[in-house]
Amino acid sequence: MDFRKADFDKLRELVGKVPWEARLKGKTTEESWKYFKGTLLRAQKQTIPLCRKDRKYGKRPAWLNKEILHDLKIKKESYKKWKLGQLTKEEYRQATRECRGKIRKAKAQNEIKLATGIKGNKKTFYKYIKSKRKTKDRVGPLLSEEGEAVTGNLEMAEMLNDFFVSVFTEKSGGVPNVVNTSRERVSLEDRIHKEQVKNHLGKLDVSKSPGPDEMHPRILKELIEEVSEPLAMIFEKSWQTGEIPEDWKRANIVPIYKKGNKNNPGNYRPVSLTSVPGKIMEQVIKEIVCKHLESNKVIGNSQHGFVKNKSCQTNLIAFFEKITSLVDKGEAVDVIYLDFSKAFDTVSHDILIDKLGKYNLDRATIRWVHNWLDNRSQRVVVNGSKSCWKGITSGVPQGSVLGPVLFNIFINDVDIGIESTLIKFADDTKLGGVATSLEDRDIIQNDLSKLEKWSEVNRMRFNKEKCRVLHLGRNNQFHTYKMGSDCLGRSMAERDLGVIVDHKLNMSQQCDAVAKKANMILGCINRCVVSKTREVILPLYSALVRPQLEYCVQFWAPHFKKDVEKLERVQRRATRMIKGLENMTYEARLHELGLFSLEKRRLRGDMIAVFKYLKGCHKEEGENLFLLVSEDRTRSNGLKVQQGRFRLDIRKKFLTVRVVKYWNKLPREVVESPSLEIFKNRLDRHLSGMV
């Protein structure tokens, strides 16, 4: 759809004049939804034209406006006149220079526009970069079981859909008893209000794609006032009756390449594009479920994925705080990285519904979730070609709002009875423990046997070829562990939630990988972006390059000076790219651009992390990480942390040890900040003398 030519005023008028209450009265949820959808799509067809795509030359670039098209026409005419002798060569060159100058200015303005909006919408910038590449990212070609190459878009879509469906677990007969129980329903504040729906519509990301119902989030956001009332009525009917419109249970599957051979269908992740209004209803249900989970503390502390105030970084710090402490004491430690095979796609619906009942969710919520999961269907879309619809018998949709929450509930009891340290981020699970003696190794082996039994009971499978053991410590015996009858392979380094952890635990491999990737992105920006002004380069560096250097850096901060310098060189290169700053020193460039060195940013990030653990959102976890000093000295900042003992550098450089010296030197005014924002402001003033 061409939103630049859309008549949104007329669209609001057409939708706004519909008497929704009268039209939807007496209708079922499905009938109400179909009436709403039909009305909106008809109005949309009248007011929003489709994009016209020139088959020969493709889509017109964003910088190519009417004025430049006119100048290009003049340039072409000047060339003809020059060839005919009607213009001198100098006159033709002048026309060419003027045209090129205007094109450069238009491209620069377009790049500034892309750069200023990069934080809110990275997709547009990456489309611009892809348009400059000679090779295009496409699915396939795929290889069939017979070894034949499949290249047609429709054939590839059908082949991928067949593969994605093949991993589902079989559906058991009957409805789980818990759906028919008479638990009292929770109050949805009596009914779903128009203002509640307006709030969710206002948060829609207009850059996202629509689902099979073709309702674009841009249109729904433009029509907040007009559509919030009918949607509230439909959502209320769905909640009261448990009836789910068929469109909400359908998904367009976009195959996303992961890694490995592109010819193998197993190397593509199925991401669901579902109905946008359906997602808003999922958000309403999610709020009910999450409120129940939080108030009853259902989800265990070992889960860090899709949980409030937890992240990849809290997962890594919590786990390796124990691991590095054990290694520092001279213990041998084994860490087993576990991999579920198609975890989200193999969640058994009947077992999930049974667990919802065991965790005491109300009957109405369980009924709605059951009906939402039941009789779902999907089709795969490859370059516009769509496969036929196929039924879904298991799993929670990847790309849905409810999916991650339901998965957390399903996997919540996996660590019951486990003696070793087990920690999760959604389905990414790792198990670690002391492996010095035979008895220690037997405990780990028994825990693996319990996990194997859990997977059988819950009808999930471990991908044992991808399960790996990382042996740590000088006196490690490199014991071979088993899951069932299969021996688990050893590993010298593992990618743990995006961070490379090797057997030395010194983070040098991670620093190498991060610097390489950041330099690749920086090189791509340098090649593809015409304008090298600070208005373009600085936002692109801040949004695309620096996050690569700082993702979970409080966990993997560089241990060695060579690694510190390696990361700093990336920022040196980025600041040198900016026009007009090439001949200035690095410190002068940072001052001119208002930037800090990466070393200072890491120190600042360390202090913010400690504040969160001691006084902020991670306070509960902080009690296990830091030990406060009980003293009443006048010069103390009032919240001093005890310095732990250490033998090895891997312990000395770990967050909970390396920050103590700096934290204890902070003035009382900074430490006693009542909120995180105030702490950041006071910390910045305190660190103002550091480059």
Side-chain angles (χ1 to χ4, degrees):
M1 288 179 283
D2 191 349
F3 290 118
R4 290 178 296 179
K5 297 179 181 179
D7 188 350
F8 286 114
D9 290 332
K10 186 179 178 183
L11 180 61
R12 291 187 192 96
E13 181 187 342
L14 290 172
V15 177
K17 68 182 182 181
V18 179
W20 292 109
E21 191 169 353
R23 291 286 187 267
L24 302 184
K25 189 176 181 180
K27 287 183 168 63
T28 63
T29 307
E30 182 69 31
E31 291 168 346
S32 300
W33 166 254
K34 284 184 176 179
Y35 183 83
F36 171 78
K37 174 186 169 184
T39 303
L40 192 61
L41 291 181
R42 283 193 298 272
Q44 175 182 307
K45 192 173 182 181
Q46 294 176 45
T47 55
I48 305 176
L50 297 175
C51 288
R52 188 180 69 181
K53 195 167 183 179
D54 191 309
R55 291 182 181 178
K56 186 176 180 181
Y57 299 108
K59 195 175 180 180
R60 181 188 294 178
W63 54 267
L64 188 57
N65 54 35
K66 289 182 180 179
E67 184 182 349
I68 291 177
L69 281 171
H70 178 68
D71 290 335
L72 286 168
K73 189 176 180 182
I74 292 174
K75 178 192 166 188
K76 192 174 182 181
E77 290 172 356
S78 299
Y79 177 76
K80 289 179 180 177
K81 288 179 180 179
W82 171 53
K83 283 294 184 182
L84 294 171
Q86 298 173 4
L87 283 179
T88 64
K89 189 173 184 179
E90 186 58 35
E91 286 175 325
Y92 166 65
R93 282 183 173 179
Q94 180 63 26
T96 302
R97 280 194 292 267
E98 289 178 2
C99 186
R100 283 177 181 169
K102 288 182 179 179
I103 288 174
R104 286 195 190 99
K105 285 182 180 178
K107 285 183 176 181
Q109 286 298 318
N110 181 51
E111 287 173 354
I112 290 173
K113 184 180 176 182
L114 290 172
T116 52
I118 188 73
K119 284 192 175 180
N121 182 14
K122 294 181 182 179
K123 187 187 288 187
T124 309
F125 178 76
Y126 280 122
K127 277 185 180 178
Y128 176 70
I129 294 295
K130 284 181 180 179
S131 69
K132 290 175 168 286
R133 292 173 60 186
K134 292 180 180 179
T135 57
K136 303 295 181 182
D137 291 330
R138 295 187 180 276
V139 175
L142 301 174
L143 286 180
S144 65
E145 292 180 357
E146 293 77 23
E148 297 177 358
V150 178
T151 56
N153 290 331
L154 182 59
E155 289 78 8
M156 287 195 294
E158 292 288 359
M159 185 176 176
L160 284 167
N161 204 18
D162 289 338
F163 175 79
F164 294 150
V165 169
S166 69
V167 305
F168 295 146
T169 55
E170 292 183 8
K171 188 175 181 180
S172 61
V175 178
N177 292 329
V178 72
V179 179
N180 300 317
T181 59
S182 57
R183 275 193 194 87
E184 290 186 15
R185 56 177 293 170
V186 294
S187 171
L188 201 61
E189 296 180 355
D190 298 328
R191 58 179 301 176
I192 299 175
H193 296 283
K194 177 182 175 181
E195 292 303 318
Q196 187 181 2
V197 177
K198 281 175 68 175
N199 182 44
H200 288 301
L201 286 171
K203 295 177 182 177
L204 288 177
D205 186 347
V206 297
S207 65
K208 298 295 184 182
S209 301
D213 58 4
E214 299 178 357
M215 289 204 178
H216 201 285
R218 170 75 186 274
I219 296 170
L220 294 170
K221 198 167 185 176
E222 290 281 352
L223 301 176
I224 285 180
E225 293 294 335
E226 290 75 19
V227 302
S228 54
E229 182 183 1
L231 283 176
M233 294 177 187
I234 295 169
F235 293 163
E236 175 68 17
K237 286 183 181 181
S238 178
W239 169 254
Q240 295 284 357
T241 63
E243 183 184 359
I244 316 293
E246 287 301 312
D247 282 336
W248 297 2
K249 299 198 286 183
R250 291 186 160 194
N252 285 339
I253 301 296
V254 178
I256 304 296
Y257 171 69
K258 296 185 287 186
K259 59 182 179 180
N261 190 346
K262 279 195 172 185
N263 303 138
N264 184 0
N267 291 331
Y268 291 85
R269 176 181 286 110
V271 175
S272 302
L273 296 180
T274 55
S275 167
V276 177
K279 282 184 178 179
I280 296 175
M281 184 59 187
E282 287 178 52
Q283 191 70 48
V284 174
I285 301 298
K286 179 189 172 184
E287 289 171 359
I288 299 170
V289 175
C290 288
K291 186 178 179 181
H292 175 83
L293 297 179
E294 288 174 21
S295 60
N296 292 279
K297 296 184 177 179
V298 172
I299 303 299
N301 289 330
S302 63
Q303 179 61 270
H304 287 246
F306 309 109
V307 177
K308 187 178 179 181
N309 296 327
K310 291 190 177 183
S311 63
C312 294
Q313 183 164 285
T314 61
N315 176 295
L316 292 166
I317 290 172
F319 185 75
F320 282 97
E321 162 68 16
K322 298 176 183 177
I323 299 301
T324 55
S325 180
L326 290 170
V327 173
D328 188 68
K329 292 174 183 176
E331 302 281 6
V333 178
D334 286 339
V335 178
I336 295 96
Y337 286 91
L338 302 168
D339 184 87
F340 285 102
S341 180
K342 309 295 180 185
F344 278 75
D345 296 326
T346 54
V347 170
S348 170
H349 291 169
D350 53 339
I351 296 175
L352 172 60
I353 295 300
D354 187 50
K355 289 185 179 184
L356 292 178
K358 287 179 180 177
Y359 293 133
N360 294 317
L361 267 86
D362 68 286
R363 174 182 173 276
T365 303
I366 296 175
R367 180 184 62 179
W368 196 94
V369 172
H370 173 267
N371 293 341
W372 179 72
L373 290 170
D374 195 37
N375 295 322
R376 295 186 68 88
S377 56
Q378 67 177 41
R379 66 183 177 189
V380 172
V381 182
V382 175
N383 299 326
S385 297
K386 300 167 184 174
S387 70
C388 61
W389 292 100
K390 286 187 179 289
I392 300 172
T393 58
S394 69
V396 290
Q398 297 187 60
S400 66
V401 174
L402 267 177
V405 179
L406 296 177
F407 184 83
N408 275 358
I409 293 171
F410 186 85
I411 204 172
N412 187 50
D413 57 354
V414 71
D415 48 359
I416 292 177
I418 301 297
E419 296 182 55
S420 306
T421 301
L422 184 141
I423 201 163
K424 309 185 287 283
F425 190 93
D427 62 319
D428 289 315
T429 307
K430 49 185 174 280
L431 180 78
V434 178
T436 306
S437 66
L438 182 60
E439 291 77 11
D440 295 331
R441 296 190 287 272
D442 285 341
I443 290 173
I444 296 176
Q445 182 59 63
N446 290 336
D447 287 339
L448 288 172
S449 300
K450 290 174 186 175
L451 291 170
E452 174 78 0
K453 187 175 181 180
W454 181 92
S455 69
E456 292 173 359
V457 171
N458 288 273
R459 299 167 69 187
M460 293 187 78
R461 299 182 301 276
F462 282 106
N463 188 344
K464 295 170 186 176
E465 290 183 3
K466 291 185 178 180
C467 293
R468 288 284 185 270
V469 183
L470 185 64
H471 300 286
L472 307 172
R474 290 184 179 180
N475 300 317
N476 202 297
Q477 298 297 310
F478 297 95
H479 181 73
T480 300
Y481 296 96
K482 289 186 175 183
M483 290 194 81
S485 58
D486 299 307
C487 295
L488 302 185
R490 297 175 187 172
S491 176
M492 300 299 285
E494 279 294 312
R495 188 173 288 277
D496 190 347
L497 300 179
V499 177
I500 298 175
V501 179
D502 64 10
H503 68 289
K504 294 180 181 179
L505 293 176
N506 61 20
M507 301 303 160
S508 281
Q509 284 194 40
Q510 170 66 9
C511 292
D512 290 341
V514 162
K516 183 179 178 182
K517 187 169 184 180
N519 274 314
M520 284 175 62
I521 298 172
L522 205 55
C524 183
I525 292 171
N526 192 32
R527 288 190 302 273
C528 298
V529 173
V530 176
S531 176
K532 297 296 190 295
T533 61
R534 72 170 66 189
E535 290 81 10
V536 173
I537 299 298
L538 195 55
L540 294 180
Y541 168 73
S542 300
L544 303 178
V545 181
R546 195 167 62 193
Q548 300 291 335
L549 303 169
E550 295 184 339
Y551 166 74
C552 289
V553 74
Q554 269 57 61
F555 163 66
W556 61 266
H559 292 190
F560 306 120
K561 192 173 181 179
K562 66 180 180 69
D563 292 330
V564 172
E565 184 58 30
K566 187 180 297 176
L567 299 181
E568 205 69 52
R569 274 200 299 270
V570 179
Q571 185 161 276
R572 287 177 188 271
R573 179 188 175 193
T575 55
R576 202 182 297 117
M577 282 168 54
I578 297 173
K579 190 176 180 181
L581 305 183
E582 303 94 331
N583 299 320
M584 298 173 72
T585 64
Y586 178 50
E587 290 74 17
R589 292 198 299 271
L590 292 180
H591 181 74
E592 179 69 22
L593 297 170
L595 296 176
F596 297 143
S597 66
L598 293 178
E599 191 172 6
K600 179 177 176 178
R601 286 180 61 86
R602 284 195 295 273
L603 176 60
R604 181 179 182 270
D606 286 350
M607 297 301 100
I608 292 170
V610 176
F611 182 85
K612 288 179 180 178
Y613 279 121
L614 296 181
K615 296 182 68 176
C617 55
H618 306 324
K619 191 174 180 180
E620 188 178 343
E621 286 186 57
E623 294 173 358
N624 299 321
L625 298 176
F626 296 99
L627 187 63
L628 297 178
V629 176
S630 54
E631 61 178 11
D632 298 321
R633 292 181 184 177
T634 308
R635 293 186 180 181
S636 169
N637 63 22
L639 203 65
K640 279 198 170 184
V641 177
Q642 185 172 313
Q643 178 73 66
R645 294 183 178 183
F646 54 85
R647 289 189 314 112
L648 306 175
D649 276 349
I650 61 167
R651 187 62 187 160
K652 178 184 176 181
K653 300 291 185 180
F654 196 75
L655 175 75
T656 54
V657 178
R658 72 170 185 266
V659 298
V660 174
K661 177 175 67 174
Y662 301 103
W663 176 264
N664 289 344
K665 287 182 180 179
L666 290 179
R668 183 182 289 266
E669 179 197 11
V670 177
V671 171
E672 291 184 346
S673 300
S675 69
L676 181 60
E677 286 305 313
I678 294 173
F679 175 79
K680 288 179 180 178
N681 292 332
R682 292 177 180 177
L683 179 65
D684 288 340
R685 286 199 297 270
H686 177 70
L687 297 176
S688 58
M690 181 180 176
V691 179

